[in-house]
Amino acid sequence: MQTAEISRRYIDYFAERGHTVVPSASLVSDDPTLLFTVAGMVPFVPYLTGVVPAPYPRAVDVQKCIRTNDIEEVGKTARHGTFFQMLGNWSFGDYFKEGAITYAWELLTRSEADGGLGFDERDLWVTVYETDDEAAELWQKLIGLPAERIQRLGKADNYWHTGQPGPGGPSSEIFFDRGPKYGRDGGPAVDDSRFIEIWNLVFMQELLSEVRSKVDFDVAGPLPKKNIDTGMGLERVAFIKQGVENMYEIDQVRPVLDRAAELSGRRYGAEHEDDVRMRIIADHVRSSLMLMSDGVTPSNEGRGYILRRLLRRSIRAMRLLGVEGPSFHELFAASRDAMKSAYPEVATDYAHLEQLALGEEDTFLRTLASGTSILDVAVTKTKEQGSAELAGDTAFLLHDTYGFPIELTLEMADEAGLRVDRGEFDRLMKDQRDRAKADAKSKKRVLADLSVYADYRAKGETIFTGYTELQTESSVLGLLVDGRPVQRATAGQTAEVILAETALYAESGGQAPDRGRIVGDGFELEVLDVQRPVKGLISHTVRVVRGEVGVGETATSLVDEDYRRGATQAHSGTHLVHAALRQVLGPNAHQSGSFNKAGYLRLDFGWNSALSSETRTEIEEIANSAIRDNLEVVTRELPLDEAKALGAMALFGEKYGDVVRVVDIGGPWSRELCAGTHVRTSAEVGMINLIGESSVGATNRRVESLVGIEAFRQFAAERALVGELTSSLKTRPEQLVDRVGELVANLKAAEKKIQAYEAKALNERVPALAATAVRTGEVLLVAEHVGGLGSGDELRALALSVRTQLGDAASVVALTAEVGGKPLAIVATSPAARESGANAGALAKRMAGVLGGGGGGKPDLAQGGGTDVTAIPAALAAVRDELGR
């Protein structure tokens, strides 16, 4: 049974039983504590916790998920994958244990001919929470399952909660027995390789007051409404129903594995390590494709870093299979073809997705080449020092700074006959993870924080009037101080204000929040921020400037008109620049992110090379021509499918509801889905002044622009600067570039003359310095301070010249100078001196220690420095003492 067929049967079964079919949410989670949608329940948390009223009593969905905490297990087990799909049926205060158990068992065991999944009842086991007698009894009496196939497990296995105070409850899991070939008999409590969990039923029935760990929490009492949260792993059911060994061999994944085998010339099933690598590639390529289809782009932070890691692990695995050149063109095409029937967007957006993948592959292959060069140097140095172990900090540097995987470092070091100090590498990695966790913890906004909004959200959605009004009278629904509800807030306090209606725009869609005030009888509040903490609710962070505000009082939201005007100019300007980009570069220049506020916009777009100055000018001219043409700006609310049929552009990675707001500028010239605030005609934007273009990744560029009055001010400032320069240089504006070029050429010529003079002056000092050489131990030693110099290169050249002047004698030249107010030492040794045991690196290190710094280098030439200029005589004396022993 194909994966898509399993999904269809699941959806049809529950839809026929009154469940609303809900489309999958994005892999990019709305939960601020999560990078990704890590479980099927994540999109439903607001309903399960009661923060947002559920729009339906029961639902069914197939939810895309990404989970990378077990990434090292991918390819090694039958069930670990980074991308997976959860089939879920949900009840929000409707049916409970009896309904959930009945539905699950009936769908699993009903024959395929009757629309079921056709599992044999004899192959199924269940687990229940150790004290959940009700569930155990239902499995026996309602389903007829023998008591010996019902196992009771503890909190670690069969109790669910969010990890924060809030809802929780026991769970019951259904397992499939794969047979004696896969392990010991005795049920899931004995062997979780033979007995595979396929369905988890969570009975959300308790309110937890304190949660200290997975197994340590306090139950405050029962939930007012009992909910059902269930999930069946689509990939797990698929590999069982398709009669294959693991999830990597199902129809949606196997084509990538097979293509990797073909490209590498290896046979899947022939060698365990190769099999693991092929599974990693198959999993990671599919996960990367799905992440990019939801708007994630490779980067060094957050979600982008996870995507980059998946892509680079895929490249590494291909390399270990012997494929050192590009392979993503073939692998991603195979994944697209396998996934497009379930997710058509991977085919629709494939040109852009492939561009991202190929750009990252090209960048990392070049990174591997440079990392190999660095590693080669480190290997040579390690061998020269007589060591058989590559330093752990070198391996960490390669991994952390250059993105060079530790597995490749281990492999290549082994080929060179070296081992790696893995203990030191692991310690440095742990330190880095601990720092990252501490940083994430400091920024984390826990789920429990959102529960304070439940009562306000239950009163309905906040009405936003700001599209047509700049002030709106409403009432104060709630006040929060330090995250806790209060009845009043007084002068000097910072608080959150929840209004029934507001004219103030909450930050979203790349547009910064409005500035403004909230006023009422006897109080004035300065608006510091406007956000949507939960879906449908707007919260205003304010400073109480005057008086005292209380819950239930009348309040008027007032938008700062100047700021709103600038914000609408910038947001409409973003649409103009996007349209101009696509007109010049083509449809692949797809917006991947934006930010705009009064007077400023930035726009990220898919592109893999810098824009020429001519291209930037063309884009700027097209955008400003649209402003000049005074195009009409029209906004409409339409069903999503109708909007797309009209050609409205859905921005890559954005999330949209069933009804969307369409913004047209000049009709179809620019037509995008957008909930931001906009001007009425394009002329109101005023002016676009592109001030920057830069890279934000291998496949993404960023343009920045000033808008409106800020754009004019920038031009005015540049005009004033040109005026000052033309006046100072006594030339006309059109001759300014030539005049500056002439001055630069003269300056360079003067610098060359100065350098020649300084070099001559240094050379004239060589004989006198050589004449100071005295026999010290077995060598002739020149140990002198030469005063102040302009650079370390001058001191180095002087030391080498003195060494040459001394000829074939066993000589050591140790010179010091002040460079930039700090002491610098250079040591040069002749071949004969090195044969007698003199080592420039050791001597420079000794001098640097006296100077209060560090140093070292090769045996023939080395340098050191410090901070204590007064210690220069002592440093020179240290060299004399060392060589005179």
Side-chain angles (χ1 to χ4, degrees):
M1 187 181 294
Q2 297 292 289
T3 304
E5 176 63 14
I6 297 169
S7 178
R8 185 193 66 77
R9 288 177 181 235
Y10 188 93
I11 293 293
D12 288 350
Y13 176 86
F14 284 101
E16 290 168 2
R17 286 153 183 80
H19 291 66
T20 299
V21 179
V22 179
S24 174
S26 170
L27 286 168
V28 178
S29 174
D30 287 329
D31 188 329
T33 70
L34 299 172
L35 286 177
F36 298 117
T37 300
V38 295
M41 48 76 64
V42 169
F44 294 98
V45 165
Y47 309 147
L48 296 171
T49 59
V51 172
V52 177
Y56 24 67
R58 49 177 72 183
V60 60
D61 72 331
V62 181
Q63 176 59 48
K64 301 178 291 184
C65 302
I66 284 281
R67 194 179 296 169
T68 59
N69 54 328
D70 292 327
I71 194 170
E72 299 299 335
E73 297 302 312
V74 170
K76 299 176 183 177
T77 72
R79 61 188 185 278
H80 281 98
T82 50
F83 173 82
F84 59 97
Q85 300 157 89
M86 289 301 294
L87 302 162
N89 58 285
W90 312 84
S91 166
F92 308 106
D94 191 1
Y95 62 84
F96 198 49
K97 291 183 184 179
E98 182 175 339
I101 289 172
T102 300
Y103 287 149
W105 192 259
E106 183 179 36
L107 177 58
L108 282 173
T109 59
R110 176 178 287 184
S111 71
E112 292 184 14
D114 292 329
L117 296 178
F119 280 90
D120 191 323
E121 295 184 10
R122 293 171 297 182
D123 294 330
L124 301 178
W125 291 60
V126 300
T127 61
V128 297
Y129 182 50
E130 55 192 357
T131 62
D132 192 354
D133 297 332
E134 180 186 7
E137 185 175 337
L138 285 170
W139 279 114
Q140 289 183 71
K141 294 185 176 179
L142 184 67
I143 302 301
L145 195 65
E148 60 269 19
R149 295 219 307 275
I150 303 170
Q151 297 185 324
R152 293 178 183 250
L153 299 176
K155 294 176 181 176
D157 297 294
N158 279 80
Y159 196 95
W160 177 90
H161 55 73
T162 66
Q164 303 293 336
S171 67
S172 181
E173 297 178 339
I174 304 174
F175 290 78
F176 175 77
D177 180 4
R178 303 175 74 198
K181 173 184 175 182
Y182 297 95
R184 295 177 296 162
D185 199 358
V190 173
D191 191 328
D192 66 352
S193 294
R194 169 173 171 172
F195 296 88
I196 295 289
E197 176 204 337
I198 56 174
W199 204 327
N200 184 19
L201 315 175
V202 176
F203 310 129
M204 210 173 296
Q205 62 190 48
E206 295 173 331
L207 180 64
L208 309 187
S209 57
E210 294 290 336
V211 178
R212 291 169 290 277
S213 72
K214 167 69 176 171
V215 297
D216 184 13
F217 51 81
D218 298 330
V219 178
L223 281 175
K225 286 186 177 181
K226 296 178 179 180
N227 300 320
I228 286 294
D229 158 10
T230 79
M232 182 165 76
L234 179 55
E235 282 77 10
R236 294 189 184 187
V237 175
F239 87 70
I240 293 169
K241 293 301 296 179
Q242 292 174 22
V244 295
E245 291 295 306
N246 51 63
M247 63 164 288
Y248 314 103
E249 299 176 16
I250 66 173
D251 59 301
Q252 287 187 345
V253 186
R254 181 65 186 253
V256 182
L257 187 154
D258 289 338
R259 195 72 191 102
E262 291 171 13
L263 292 171
S264 65
R266 312 283 179 97
R267 183 175 64 82
Y268 182 66
E271 202 274 320
H272 174 71
E273 289 300 322
D274 283 351
D275 289 354
V276 170
R277 291 162 185 157
M278 292 178 199
R279 293 172 195 154
I280 289 171
I281 294 161
D283 171 86
H284 287 7
V285 165
R286 183 173 79 139
S287 298
S288 299
L289 178 71
M290 299 309 298
L291 280 171
M292 292 187 297
S293 73
D294 273 352
V296 182
T297 57
S299 71
N300 288 326
E301 296 178 336
R303 300 180 180 95
Y305 176 77
I306 299 297
L307 171 59
R308 173 162 285 169
R309 187 182 181 200
L310 292 170
L311 290 166
R312 292 187 169 191
R313 279 173 59 89
S314 303
I315 297 168
R316 174 185 62 81
M318 286 299 291
R319 187 186 187 282
L320 294 176
L321 288 173
V323 180
E324 298 192 2
S327 60
F328 276 3
H329 176 73
E330 301 284 346
L331 297 175
F332 273 85
S335 189
R336 172 203 61 197
D337 294 342
M339 297 299 295
K340 65 184 180 183
S341 62
Y343 301 99
E345 62 270 21
V346 301
T348 304
D349 298 326
Y350 187 70
H352 177 68
L353 304 180
E354 185 184 46
Q355 182 186 42
L356 290 174
L358 297 184
E360 183 65 19
E361 181 180 43
D362 178 67
T363 298
F364 188 52
L365 287 175
R366 284 187 276 111
T367 294
L368 286 177
S370 61
T372 300
S373 300
I374 294 166
L375 182 58
D376 287 344
V377 172
V379 167
T380 301
K381 185 176 179 180
T382 301
K383 289 184 174 181
E384 286 178 352
Q385 294 171 347
S387 175
E389 185 172 70
L390 188 71
D393 58 356
T394 299
F396 179 75
L397 175 72
L398 284 164
H399 170 84
D400 189 53
T401 304
Y402 297 96
F404 206 69
I406 181 60
E407 293 86 353
L408 276 183
T409 302
L410 292 169
E411 175 198 5
M412 295 176 69
D414 182 64
E415 290 172 355
L418 298 177
R419 62 181 182 274
V420 177
D421 186 350
R422 187 62 188 265
E424 175 69 2
F425 173 84
D426 290 341
R427 184 189 67 77
L428 292 168
M429 285 294 294
K430 181 179 183 300
D431 289 346
Q432 184 190 64
R433 283 193 294 267
D434 289 345
R435 288 192 298 271
K437 286 179 181 178
D439 182 56
K441 188 174 182 181
S442 69
K443 298 175 181 176
K444 186 175 180 182
R445 185 177 181 185
V446 296
L447 181 64
D449 291 342
L450 300 181
S451 65
V452 299
Y453 300 107
D455 290 341
Y456 311 131
R457 181 60 181 80
K459 297 174 183 177
E461 296 191 17
T462 307
I463 298 172
F464 174 61
T465 64
Y467 290 132
T468 57
E469 300 178 10
L470 293 180
Q471 68 176 62
T472 296
E473 184 179 283
S474 183
S475 59
V476 178
L477 295 182
L479 289 168
L480 299 169
V481 174
D482 295 329
R484 296 182 179 181
V486 296
Q487 288 300 306
R488 308 197 71 76
T490 58
Q493 284 188 303
T494 298
E496 283 186 71
V497 179
I498 312 295
L499 301 176
E501 300 90 25
T502 182
L504 291 154
Y505 184 82
E507 181 175 8
S508 61
Q511 182 174 328
D514 272 335
R515 294 176 184 172
R517 296 177 298 143
I518 298 173
V519 299
D521 186 13
F523 65 84
E524 179 181 355
L525 316 176
E526 177 190 2
V527 176
L528 306 176
D529 193 11
V530 191
Q531 296 291 332
R532 297 178 184 270
V534 298
K535 185 178 180 181
L537 192 73
I538 295 177
S539 170
H540 312 75
T541 300
V542 302
R543 182 174 64 86
V544 184
V545 176
R546 176 178 59 83
E548 183 176 288
V549 59
V551 174
E553 295 184 4
T554 299
T556 299
S557 54
L558 302 170
V559 177
D560 182 321
E561 293 188 34
D562 287 342
Y563 187 85
R564 169 67 76 81
R565 183 182 301 109
T568 58
Q569 288 175 316
H571 206 150
S572 297
T574 303
H575 287 219
L576 297 178
V577 172
H578 188 206
L581 272 169
R582 293 172 63 81
Q583 187 170 323
V584 173
L585 301 178
N588 283 343
H590 203 300
Q591 180 176 328
S592 57
S594 68
F595 174 74
N596 47 75
K597 63 179 181 179
Y600 169 85
L601 71 84
R602 73 166 185 251
L603 186 147
D604 297 346
F605 60 99
W607 202 249
N608 56 11
S609 61
L611 304 184
S612 67
S613 59
E614 293 81 5
T615 300
R616 287 174 53 184
T617 298
E618 185 179 1
I619 292 166
E620 190 177 56
E621 285 185 356
I622 290 172
N624 281 298
S625 293
I627 293 172
R628 177 203 61 196
D629 293 342
N630 197 26
L631 304 175
E632 185 179 13
V633 179
V634 176
T635 60
R636 294 172 287 168
E637 288 194 350
L638 297 171
L640 178 60
D641 291 342
E642 184 178 339
K644 287 185 176 180
L646 288 173
M649 190 177 304
L651 298 187
F652 202 68
E654 286 291 319
K655 304 169 190 176
Y656 301 98
D658 295 333
V659 177
V660 294
R661 192 163 178 265
V662 180
V663 177
D664 291 348
I665 302 180
W669 188 82
S670 169
R671 178 170 287 162
E672 296 187 14
L673 307 184
C674 181
T677 61
H678 288 273
V679 298
R680 291 166 297 183
T681 66
S682 62
E684 294 180 23
V685 173
M687 184 185 295
I688 295 290
N689 176 10
L690 292 184
I691 57 172
E693 189 268 342
S694 58
S695 169
V696 286
T699 55
N700 271 281
R701 307 294 298 180
R702 170 174 292 172
V703 291
E704 297 178 88
S705 177
L706 296 178
V707 185
I709 191 65
E710 294 300 326
F712 170 77
R713 286 171 179 157
Q714 176 71 9
F715 281 126
E718 291 174 355
R719 181 179 61 193
L721 179 62
V722 169
E724 289 182 21
L725 289 172
T726 55
S727 176
S728 297
L729 299 177
K730 295 181 173 54
T731 188
R732 297 178 61 80
E734 63 270 19
Q735 297 170 339
L736 188 58
V737 173
D738 292 338
R739 179 66 177 134
V740 170
E742 180 185 336
L743 289 173
V744 169
N746 291 341
L747 180 60
K748 288 182 178 179
E751 287 175 345
K752 286 183 179 180
K753 289 181 180 179
I754 292 171
Q755 289 171 358
Y757 172 79
E758 290 175 344
K760 181 180 178 182
L762 282 175
N763 286 333
E764 289 175 352
R765 300 181 65 178
V766 171
L769 286 171
T772 66
V774 295
R775 175 66 58 180
T776 305
E778 299 182 18
V779 301
L780 286 175
L781 171 65
V782 174
E784 295 291 326
H785 179 59
V786 299
L789 293 178
S791 70
D793 289 340
E794 293 179 3
L795 184 61
R796 186 178 299 106
L798 188 58
L800 291 172
S801 295
V802 172
R803 184 179 68 178
T804 301
Q805 183 79 17
L806 294 172
D808 295 333
S811 60
V812 175
V813 180
L815 302 182
T816 59
E818 291 180 42
V819 178
K822 293 184 178 181
L824 181 68
I826 297 286
V827 180
T829 61
S830 69
R834 293 195 292 278
E835 288 178 6
S836 68
N839 185 303
L843 292 171
K845 186 174 182 180
R846 174 80 183 274
M847 294 179 74
V850 177
L851 295 171
K858 296 181 179 180
D860 63 326
L861 183 67
Q863 75 177 47
T867 58
D868 187 1
V869 174
T870 64
I872 286 176
L876 293 169
V879 175
R880 298 186 189 102
D881 291 344
E882 185 72 25
L883 293 174
R885 291 178 181 176

